[in-house]
Amino acid sequence: MDIKETVLEILNDLTGNDVSGAMDDNLFDSGLLDSMGSVQLLLQLQSELDVTVPVSEFERSEWDTPNKIIAKVESLA
Amino acid sequence: MLTFEPYGNPTYFALLGVALLPLMIGLLYGKRSRLYETLISIFFLVLTFGGSKWTQGVALIIYILYEVGLTWGYAVYRRHKNSGPFFYLMVILAIAPLTIVKVTPAVENGQSSLIGFLGISYLTFRAVQTIMETRDGTLKNYNLMTFLQFMLFFPTISSGPIDRYRRFEKDYRSVPSREQYLGMLQKGIRYIFVGFLYKFVLAYYFGTMLMPKLQLMAMHSRGGFLDLSWPVVGYMYAYSADLFFDFAGYSLFAVGTSYIMGIATPMNFNQPWRSPNIKDFWNRWHITLSFWFRDFIYMRLVFWFMKHKIFKKPTTTANVTYIINMLVMGFWHGVTWYYIAYGLFHGVALMVNDMWLRYKKKHRKSIPHNGFTQVFAIFLTANLVCFSFLIFSGLLNKLWFN
């Protein structure tokens, strides 16, 4: 499965929403993600895609929309 | 020799203006003189920590050498090795001086520790995050001189905002274009003038004119239920207003001065009184502190708890971590029952807030959301916050135990 699909699946799972229709919406502003959700996201990325992101690498402004998250994960994979 | 509280009086601002002028001209012509920046930094540090406060100055120098030794030593070590226990030891050593300073008054009948100085907590935050980012491998090019400049950056040394090493370094190593710098200059000067209004007009009114009177009235109206009375309510609002205008005013001075020096130090407040809930409040109040706690305590603890599967449910993990996080913040303010109660109050408030948000998400259709509920949410949040500040103020301690 490719990265985009996996990330979207993780995000849908975490937020309880289908985010694929709003790829540039800010997930923190809409309340779909918070610090807790961010950490869960990082752990899921590690277990499902083997992408390791230390917590201090998580600069919120670089991870706040589905598109940005996918781009970030692709750059780290 | 005289000592000056940072941004404390007109003379300080006059000296600041004169000292910054050459630096401004330099930046306008695309030049950053490290030597000049270092000289004025030393000058203002001596103004703050010299004269009658020389013992604090000595404490500062020893502290800085100690933290430089730790961070530099760890950066060198981390290039070859990465042991968990060694990392924890380094973090403990880095916060040891602050811990001593915070605990001393509680065990020595209010006497302050000899190794303390104005701003030690804010410097500790900077040193600890440097160690943590070195451990994560996100900070690879530790530079001793940059670290010194970062720690001793005089506009923010006494009470923040708490910048991040990597963010500071990026600004410090570059020179803004003339257009960018003119924008920064304009903002910086505006911030300083808004700061004058906040700190010297509004905070003065609430803190110096109103609060002492209300406190006296509150002490005279004791005897009722929990010694509470209308003056206590008045004090609660006056104290909250003073706390906000005093600290937001100071922060505007610190950020404004940084901007004039071509460093975009992050803002500390973003309209906190319009937060619709406590969670949002902490994204708007003392932002650099709450984000520091979020990034270096809350998220790391949650990560650790979840990785080691300590709790079954993610919500339990979040709740336990909220309490720990806010209790640590309470202890950081000082080891007194009311600071710790304040931390606990906010930990519980965040828990309840999350429960409500989850409930709201589930019953989205049946819960109204309109202008009125929004105003009510803001009103409720502001009052809860003011109540927490009443605990924080220590007035209850005076009412009950004096």
Side-chain angles (χ1 to χ4, degrees), chain A residues 14-17 31-36 38-40 42-43 46 52-60, chain B residues 132-133 136 138 166 279 283 294-296 298-300 302-303 306-307 314-315 317-318 322 354 361 364:
Chain A
L14 265 179
T15 60
N17 271 48
L32 290 173
L33 266 191
D34 57 6
S35 315
M36 180 72 201
S38 315
V39 176
Q40 286 175 298
L42 297 186
L43 285 163
Q46 201 166 6
T52 310
V53 187
V55 176
S56 60
E57 190 69 67
F58 191 88
E59 171 63 47
R60 231 177 229 227
Chain B
M132 289 194 174
E133 297 203 336
D136 280 359
T138 27
R166 285 181 294 153
K279 218 170 168 178
N283 288 329
R294 180 193 76 193
D295 294 346
F296 297 103
Y298 183 85
M299 286 182 62
R300 297 182 91 92
V302 165
F303 193 91
M306 296 197 73
K307 209 176 136 191
T315 46
T317 311
Y322 275 144
D354 254 13
K361 210 169 165 183
R364 213 170 290 165

Side-chain angles (χ1 to χ4, degrees), chain B residues 249-267:
Chain B
Y250 157 83
S251 299
L252 284 164
F253 294 148
V255 175
T257 310
S258 307
Y259 271 56
I260 294 173
M261 294 177 73
I263 304 275
T265 294
M267 267 301 213

Side-chain angles (χ1 to χ4, degrees), chain A residues 25-28 59-66 68-69:
Chain A
D25 280 14
N26 190 310
L27 296 165
F28 290 100
E59 171 63 47
R60 231 177 229 227
S61 61
E62 295 169 7
W63 295 79
D64 54 10
T65 72
K68 281 193 202 170
I69 295 171

